[in-house]
Amino acid sequence: MKNTHDTKLIFELSKPGCRGAVLPACDVPSPDGGCDASDWLPADALADAPPALPEVTEPQVVRHFVNLSQQNMSVDTHFYPLGSCTMKYNPKRNERAAAMPGFNEVHPYQPEETIQGMLEMLYELQEILNEISGLDACCLQPAAGAHGELTALLVAAAYFKDRDFKDRGEHRTKVLVPDNAHGTNPASAAMAGFDTVTVKTNPDGGVCMEDFRAKLDSDIAVFMITNPNTVGIFESNMQELADEVHAHGGLIYLDGANMNAILGITRPGDWGRAGTGGADMQHYNPHKTFSGPHGGGGPGAGPICVVEKLAPYLPAPMVVKKETGYSLDYDRPKAMGRVRAFFGNTGVLLRAYCYLRTHGPEGLKEVSENAVLNANYLLAKVKHFLPVPQGGRCMHEFVASASKLKSERGISAMDIAKRLLDYGYHAPTVYFPMTVKEAIMVEPTETESKETLDAFAETLFRITEEEAELLHDAPHTTTISRPNEVQAARNPCLSCR
Amino acid sequence: MNPETLLYAKTHEWIHIADDGGAKVATIGISAFAVEALTDLVFMELPEVGRDVKPGDSICEIESVKAVSDLYSPVEGKVLEVNKPLPDSLETLSDDPFGKGWIAKIQLTSDAGLSDLMDHAAYQAACKEEAD
Amino acid sequence: MPYIYNTPEDQQAMLAAIGAASIDELFESIPDELKLNRALDIPPALGELELEQHVRELAGKNLHAGNAVSFLGGGSYDHFIPAAVDAIAGRSEFYTSYTPYQAEVSQGNLQAMFEFQSMITRMTGLEIANSSLYDGGSATAEGVLMAIDTTRRRGQVVVAGTLHPEYRETIETYLHNLGVEVVTIGPENGTIPVSAITSAMNDQTACVVLQHPNFFGALEEAQAIATAAHNAGALVVGVFDPISLGLLHRPGDWGADIAVAEGQSLGTAMSYGGPVLGILACGKKLARRLPGRIVGQTTDRRGKPCYVLTMQTREQHIRREKSTSNVCTNQALFALRATIYLSLLGPGGLRDTADLCLRKSRYLAKRLTSAGRFEMAFDAPTFKEFVVRDKENNVEELISAAASQGLLAGVPLGRWYPELADCFLVCVTEKRTKAEMDRLVEFLEIGAATTNTDELVAARI
């Protein structure tokens, strides 16, 4: 049933003279008696012809791309237990809100009095995110989680430069990152100008305190921690970690990728011993935790929240509430700059706002309770045939290992992932974190039913019983079989001639 | 070259030291074990000729589809020569890592690092341990 | 809750299978003293109908390009979006899928990204494009980092003062802790003199960043500036307006080594500035320094052509602190929209769009400046935007008064250019009609006759 003609490259469908969009005739008289572009613009700036785009009609375009869409798995069509990505249902009411012209067609440089509804929404969102974090100030500017990490680290750098340098006479240079952290953590630290120091983790995924203490010294700027961590376990030494980093004058950064496990249950800002504070800054992934659609890879957003002492260094503008209404505050002399043009990814933030308003305090807590319940239920069903090295309980996700299957029967995590596609399931995340051999990272999310989880566990079991040969060649039923990645990387073909 | 007569670094480089008219020149490459661990190679850069290196300096990178590996200099000296055709024929590195797959020649300026190198038997033992 | 299936019975059955007495028990690993033990202090839950009413009310408080006439530009534009763009990009299979890690079930996204990359190479005249970045501002900063990395020159980058001020600020932020100086060349009469670039260059200049047409809508002497940069051994990061390429030379043709752009014009809504689409392209030699995701063509095990994410060793999940960038998402949905948009327009549609922008903006510029109160601030030829000087130096109030009449008249420039506090930036896209432009002129002329804006506002309301 695959339409092989209309899914050729769009350039191959091109026929000279075809047009998908026709522009209106010009309705203004030609100023200065000019008749084409060269009468107004210098000839040496003008191209001989416009770029060689395809020439196709609207029906062709629609058929081409609708056929392409049908070659994708998506949350709306399939169970998508992709660990660390929180592929929950994307509510349609949020989409309707985001499509309202009163949000969608607003220009970033309109006068404040013409965007009071927009600013009110953004202000309320800042407040809600602060409350969920247990932190004091929020910046909505970053465009993605990794962008939030970078922003927060630059805020930390500005803070140290302003407050700490004078006392110490030298800069803090180190950012400590656990070895099982997402790759963006060390990459963001490097971009912000810090040296990354890797801290070992224990088999349970928790920070190895011995290694942590060996590497913690007065040069520490920031300790970046993901909690619950990447193997789905709540860091058992969180308070000690926070206290010791603070005692050395450093800051705690929480990678908020896994907030879906703890909404309304515990707040990062409260993670120190009484009165000493916990996380000093964190980012959110609204496209994960607060249900924004992933769009095939983006857009996302990466708002950050910080403690009071870091607030002056957040980028401008921030939304403030005044007696006369909502306003953008650009007067932030200590702000560290900006990390993009315009205010932020408001389209994504609006969806998050809708999600948060839909749930309220009790609803948000239920989200995390059911996310954790679903993950533990799946863990209980899976661990008998697919070992989960980190143990019997988890938070919102768990990491199984195909290591035993690999050594005994030659079946790898990749084989299992690819075979799941044949059964109509998106694969879990595989080979991450790198600290678990043959890792299979499963995050069911709260928006899946017990029946779906039962069927998935049963399929997974069935796969582990199948012939190794069958799995090596999987998938068998998808539009393509496994792509040759070596060829793709060795002789890159990145655009059509 | 005969792998059994070479010296090895913990980071999987092999080293062959020859006397070149009074100057000591080390030819270095990566071991068959390392080539296999990297799986299918897709890209490599060569070290910069003329660069002064110390033991442990990263002098170039070798990439497979999903991994990047640094090549560390096991010795102190100056890069004399590199195996220019290698990046365009990565299969040579896989097929003949101890011969045509050599990567660089370094003229030694001291004995630094040499005492840390292993002989073939010791290296084999280290690889076995790593594989487990 | 509306999106949770588990009934109380399900929950009990699941807890029994887990061997836990309660859901609370599942959170035992969190020390009690860290638990919140109170409800979050956030607004109560709203049902779908109430939410819709609430959000509609908020949306109703905003002026927008649908209920006002917009002459706003400066990097975000009210261009026409054909219905087919929304219809296709609104398909769940596109917008609710994740990054195409499993190529076998993501060929739709991967092929669309490959087509996007191909279109961007054709648009820019450069050999390689990634599958998008966050926005034009961060893409520009990433382009600068690439240039520093490639040239290994860590002394300075030279930035045109006519580059979008928020892009300049982004570059400064990105470079702040890396020890590379940002040297900004001030404009003269709205553009950058070639001689100023030449004299700013030294042997540690990594790149020149030039926007053409620039933030003021004016054409720069792009080719001469690129030559000056190249003569000093620096690279050129060229910031372009994709719509302008219907008429103007491609950045690769005028000498840009790295071309970056804000791609919102290509079928994506303004959405108060985000989310939008960062575009980045470069020559083949710079491929391994490129940040972000890249899709490549290959074959599957049966020899069938297919698409896959490739050259991943550049990226953070493999190279960690040594990666080319920390970027790990792209703006796939908007890259898709741009691909659909450009397919619908084709070369002829892009040329016609650019041509309409040019003609209409010329018409408005001529009319606005023939009345007396306003004059063109600069002499250089412009594309779809131009800067107008208010001889009465009352820009903020004029803009405000116009807004109360449903006219978004322009972007005041004083915030970024104190010397241009009496100027504003006007943009005319293909969507503006003669009637709308005449209405703006008529209003601003009345505004010119009335010095007391409060009276004016009162009178018109």
Side-chain angles (χ1 to χ4, degrees):
Chain A
M1 117 153 204
K2 192 192 165 191
N3 178 340
T4 50
H5 175 74
D6 290 292
T7 51
K8 285 187 206 163
L9 281 173
I10 189 93
F11 301 96
E12 295 171 46
L13 301 172
S14 178
K15 191 165 81 177
C18 284
R19 266 286 187 107
V22 177
L23 278 294
C26 188
D27 66 345
V28 297
S30 263
D32 310 318
C35 61
D36 69 30
S38 64
D39 292 319
W40 300 292
L41 298 177
D44 63 2
L46 296 172
D48 297 333
L53 296 169
E55 297 182 66
V56 283
T57 63
E58 179 177 325
Q60 267 183 303
V61 170
V62 170
R63 191 168 286 168
H64 173 74
F65 286 104
V66 171
N67 269 289
L68 288 189
S69 79
Q70 293 178 336
Q71 299 182 18
N72 290 338
M73 269 191 183
S74 67
V75 168
D76 276 0
T77 55
H78 295 85
F79 178 41
Y80 219 120
L82 194 63
S84 108
C85 299
T86 317
M87 297 299 284
K88 61 171 74 177
Y89 174 66
N90 308 140
K92 302 307 162 194
R93 66 191 71 170
N94 303 355
E95 294 308 306
R96 186 189 277 178
M100 288 178 187
F103 292 113
N104 206 14
E105 295 187 32
V106 172
H107 188 281
Y109 294 142
Q110 284 182 212
E112 280 174 9
E113 68 270 20
T114 69
I115 50 167
Q116 285 297 302
M118 178 73 80
L119 296 180
E120 181 179 339
M121 182 275 290
L122 295 170
Y123 179 82
E124 291 300 323
L125 182 62
Q126 289 175 178
E127 297 289 297
I128 294 171
L129 296 181
N130 284 337
E131 167 67 4
I132 295 172
S133 292
L135 292 169
D136 306 307
C138 175
C139 167
L140 300 174
Q141 194 177 95
H147 210 211
E149 291 172 15
L150 174 63
T151 309
L153 290 168
L154 291 167
V155 165
Y159 162 78
F160 285 126
K161 204 169 193 177
D162 187 36
R163 293 270 292 269
D164 180 72
F165 181 69
K166 285 190 278 301
D167 300 339
R168 290 163 44 90
E170 58 186 335
H171 289 297
R172 292 175 182 268
T173 53
K174 286 185 190 170
V175 168
L176 268 55
V177 181
D179 58 11
N180 61 2
H182 198 270
T184 53
N185 285 191
S188 299
M191 276 181 91
F194 291 109
D195 299 327
T196 304
V197 178
T198 305
V199 178
K200 286 187 192 136
T201 52
N202 296 321
D204 71 353
V207 174
C208 167
M209 293 305 284
E210 202 183 356
D211 196 50
F212 166 75
R213 288 184 180 128
K215 285 162 179 170
L216 179 65
D217 59 25
S218 61
D219 279 340
I220 185 176
V222 179
F223 178 51
M224 299 181 86
I225 184 163
T226 309
N227 190 22
N229 64 29
T230 12
V231 296
I233 306 287
F234 193 88
E235 175 61 57
S236 55
N237 295 312
M238 192 61 231
Q239 289 167 299
E240 285 82 354
L241 290 165
D243 290 351
E244 292 182 29
V245 167
H246 288 150
H248 282 81
L251 298 170
I252 297 277
Y253 179 82
L254 174 78
D255 180 326
N258 297 335
M259 287 300 286
N260 209 45
I262 57 169
L263 300 169
I265 289 164
T266 178
R267 306 191 307 168
D270 300 338
W271 286 350
R273 292 205 192 283
T276 61
D280 300 288
M281 34 188 186
Q282 79 155 103
H283 78 259
Y284 285 93
N285 297 103
H287 46 289
K288 293 164 38 167
T289 316
F290 305 136
S291 79
H294 286 74
I304 58 172
C305 292
V306 301
V307 287
E308 188 73 49
K309 66 180 178 185
L310 299 177
Y313 308 94
L314 288 173
M318 285 172 74
V319 186
V320 292
K321 191 175 181 178
K322 295 179 175 166
E323 275 178 23
T324 49
Y326 297 91
S327 179
L328 289 169
D329 181 15
Y330 282 93
D331 184 22
R332 302 179 53 74
K334 292 191 170 180
M336 61 60 161
R338 62 161 55 241
V339 290
R340 54 165 298 161
F342 309 130
F343 181 84
N345 281 358
T346 49
V348 179
L349 299 170
L350 171 64
R351 288 171 174 90
Y353 176 75
C354 290
Y355 183 83
L356 291 162
R357 292 304 312 266
T358 297
H359 285 81
E362 295 79 19
L364 275 189
K365 196 172 172 195
E366 278 176 42
V367 163
S368 289
E369 288 174 345
N370 284 281
V372 171
L373 177 64
N374 279 3
N376 276 288
Y377 179 64
L378 200 50
L379 167 63
K381 301 208 92 172
V382 162
K383 66 183 175 191
H384 309 296
F385 56 89
L386 212 51
V388 177
Q390 279 72 35
R393 292 279 167 85
C394 65
M395 297 297 283
H396 63 300
E397 69 187 359
F398 61 89
V399 181
S401 168
S403 182
K404 195 157 164 270
L405 271 175
K406 171 96 177 173
S407 57
E408 288 173 3
R409 297 185 49 216
I411 295 171
S412 67
M414 186 62 81
D415 293 335
I416 294 172
K418 295 301 183 191
R419 186 61 177 151
L420 275 167
L421 306 177
D422 278 331
Y423 286 101
Y425 293 105
H426 194 280
T429 298
V430 287
Y431 301 104
F432 179 79
M434 289 180 252
T435 46
V436 177
K437 280 189 180 169
E438 296 292 324
I440 300 177
M441 186 188 212
V442 184
E443 180 179 13
T445 84
E446 73 284 1
T447 61
E448 298 297 334
S449 65
K450 178 173 173 291
E451 291 74 20
T452 301
L453 304 182
D454 287 338
F456 177 74
E458 199 184 308
T459 304
L460 206 51
F461 175 69
R462 202 157 127 193
I463 290 172
T464 60
E465 299 277 290
E466 287 183 327
E467 289 301 319
E469 281 305 303
L470 184 71
L471 302 192
H472 295 330
D473 292 335
H476 301 273
T477 59
T478 47
T479 38
I480 60 158
S481 58
R482 291 189 204 185
N484 185 338
E485 296 190 51
V486 177
Q487 178 192 315
R490 206 178 264 182
N491 302 304
C493 168
L494 309 176
S495 63
C496 88
R497 301 278 139 240
Chain B
M1 254 170 258
N2 179 358
E4 289 178 16
T5 62
L6 299 172
L7 294 170
Y8 295 87
K10 270 191 288 191
T11 44
H12 303 290
E13 294 81 10
W14 58 259
I15 301 98
H16 174 261
I17 298 175
D19 204 325
D20 185 14
K24 273 195 202 167
V25 174
T27 303
I28 64 173
I30 59 169
S31 72
F33 178 86
V35 169
E36 199 176 319
L38 273 167
T39 67
D40 296 300
L41 302 176
V42 298
F43 179 79
M44 80 170 293
E45 281 179 330
L46 288 168
E48 199 183 327
V49 176
R51 180 178 156 189
D52 294 318
V53 296
K54 284 204 185 66
D57 284 357
S58 167
I59 55 174
C60 70
E61 288 180 340
I62 301 169
E63 297 183 4
S64 62
V65 175
K66 283 179 181 163
V68 184
S69 221
D70 283 290
L71 181 77
Y72 297 101
S73 175
V75 295
E76 176 163 14
K78 186 188 274 295
V79 180
L80 271 189
E81 192 186 340
V82 293
N83 187 354
K84 277 205 185 127
L86 198 57
D88 294 322
S89 56
L90 286 170
E91 57 283 2
T92 315
L93 197 50
S94 323
D95 298 344
D96 189 9
F98 296 109
K100 287 182 184 152
W102 68 276
I103 293 169
K105 295 189 181 186
I106 298 174
Q107 181 168 343
L108 302 194
T109 50
S110 84
D111 288 342
L114 295 183
S115 58
D116 297 332
L117 300 178
M118 292 175 269
D119 66 13
H120 186 251
Y123 178 65
Q124 290 295 94
C127 289
K128 189 167 182 302
E129 199 173 308
E130 194 169 312
D132 295 338
Chain C
M1 273 299 118
Y3 318 126
I4 295 175
Y5 289 88
N6 297 335
T7 62
E9 294 73 35
D10 285 339
Q11 292 183 338
Q12 286 315 314
M14 293 163 85
L15 286 169
I18 295 165
S22 66
I23 289 183
D24 283 349
E25 193 189 312
L26 302 177
F27 290 91
E28 262 179 353
S29 59
I30 304 176
D32 279 341
E33 62 269 34
L34 298 194
K35 288 202 178 128
L36 183 59
N37 295 323
R38 65 162 171 87
L40 284 169
D41 182 16
I42 63 174
L46 298 176
E48 180 168 6
L49 172 60
E50 299 157 288
L51 177 77
E52 166 105 5
Q53 287 164 337
H54 168 63
V55 172
R56 201 169 281 284
E57 190 191 328
L58 289 175
K61 293 179 186 171
N62 302 325
L63 219 53
H64 54 82
N67 64 4
V69 183
S70 177
F71 295 92
L72 303 183
S76 177
Y77 301 102
D78 180 29
H79 285 291
F80 181 66
I81 302 175
V85 177
D86 286 333
I88 296 166
R91 285 190 66 95
S92 289
E93 299 93 324
F94 280 127
Y95 87 82
T96 75
S97 59
Y98 193 63
T99 302
Y101 291 133
Q102 298 295 334
E104 298 87 344
V105 291
S106 315
Q107 283 299 297
N109 276 328
L110 286 163
Q111 183 175 332
M113 288 309 101
F114 185 79
E115 291 177 355
F116 171 77
Q117 291 171 189
S118 301
M119 285 189 194
I120 298 305
T121 60
R122 289 169 182 224
M123 297 272 285
T124 55
L126 292 167
E127 291 146 318
I128 293 173
N130 72 7
S131 69
S132 75
L133 294 167
Y134 307 135
D135 80 316
S138 60
T140 307
E142 292 279 0
V144 169
L145 291 177
M146 265 178 93
I148 294 168
D149 206 23
T150 304
T151 59
R152 299 187 184 184
R153 290 176 167 200
R154 306 195 151 268
Q156 62 171 27
V157 301
V158 171
V159 176
T162 51
L163 171 65
H164 193 303
E166 293 187 347
Y167 293 18
R168 281 191 275 130
E169 209 184 323
T170 305
I171 295 171
E172 280 168 19
T173 307
Y174 271 60
L175 298 188
H176 191 71
N177 300 320
L178 304 181
V180 184
E181 193 189 352
V182 179
V183 176
T184 304
I185 308 295
E188 277 176 32
N189 196 6
T191 56
I192 301 297
V194 182
S195 59
I197 294 288
T198 310
S199 51
M201 305 299 290
N202 64 38
D203 66 0
Q204 281 305 307
T205 307
C207 63
V208 170
V209 189
L210 183 73
Q211 182 176 351
H212 166 72
N214 68 25
F215 182 68
F216 303 135
L219 272 55
E220 297 278 3
E221 286 184 68
Q223 197 148 7
I225 287 173
T227 304
H230 290 153
N231 287 344
L235 296 180
V236 174
V237 178
V239 183
F240 65 100
D241 170 358
I243 297 293
S244 74
L245 301 178
L247 291 171
L248 301 181
H249 274 310
R250 303 178 299 177
D253 295 338
W254 58 254
D257 303 285
I258 297 166
V260 295
E262 173 48 66
Q264 174 268 327
S265 295
L266 307 174
T268 290
M270 292 183 285
S271 190
Y272 193 52
V276 284
L277 173 69
I279 292 174
L280 193 152
C282 65
K284 217 173 185 170
K285 275 191 249 163
L286 305 185
R288 305 200 76 82
R289 312 275 178 192
L290 201 63
R293 293 197 182 120
I294 302 176
V295 174
Q297 192 177 45
T298 183
T299 48
D300 75 354
R301 287 187 174 175
R302 298 171 207 131
K304 228 163 111 175
C306 63
Y307 306 92
V308 66
L309 290 173
T310 192
M311 292 172 66
Q312 296 192 55
T313 46
R314 300 165 298 112
E315 296 184 64
Q316 46 73 32
H317 62 279
I318 291 172
R319 206 178 284 250
R320 300 177 80 85
E321 65 270 19
K322 289 188 197 159
S323 56
T324 53
S325 165
N326 71 338
V327 163
C328 95
T329 45
N330 69 342
Q331 301 289 94
L333 192 65
F334 305 131
L336 170 72
R337 292 182 75 98
T339 310
I340 302 163
Y341 176 88
L342 289 169
S343 302
L344 289 166
L345 259 71
L350 189 66
R351 185 197 55 225
D352 291 353
T353 303
D355 194 58
L356 284 171
C357 291
L358 175 68
R359 284 169 194 272
K360 293 186 176 206
S361 71
R362 283 307 157 97
Y363 170 78
L364 181 60
K366 182 98 183 164
R367 281 221 51 197
L368 254 187
T369 54
S370 57
R373 174 168 171 173
F374 305 104
E375 64 181 7
M376 291 292 272
F378 310 122
D379 298 321
T382 57
F383 170 56
K384 71 183 182 199
E385 290 165 278
F386 53 90
V387 177
V388 171
R389 173 168 288 118
D390 174 16
K391 293 178 198 164
E392 294 183 17
N393 193 8
N394 208 14
V395 171
E396 296 281 349
E397 280 161 56
L398 193 67
I399 298 286
S400 208
S404 72
Q405 298 303 299
L407 292 166
L408 298 168
V411 179
L413 293 177
R415 186 200 300 160
W416 302 297
Y417 301 92
E419 70 281 14
L420 299 178
D422 56 348
C423 295
F424 57 102
L425 180 69
V426 179
C427 174
V428 185
T429 69
E430 77 285 4
K431 280 176 79 174
R432 296 290 74 83
T433 63
K434 178 170 181 297
E436 289 170 341
M437 290 188 276
D438 291 346
R439 197 179 137 213
L440 178 74
V441 173
E442 185 194 346
F443 174 79
L444 293 179
E445 275 175 4
I446 293 167
T450 318
T451 44
N452 187 332
T453 340
D454 291 341
E455 262 176 45
L456 172 83
V457 174
R460 298 287 290 200
I461 292 167

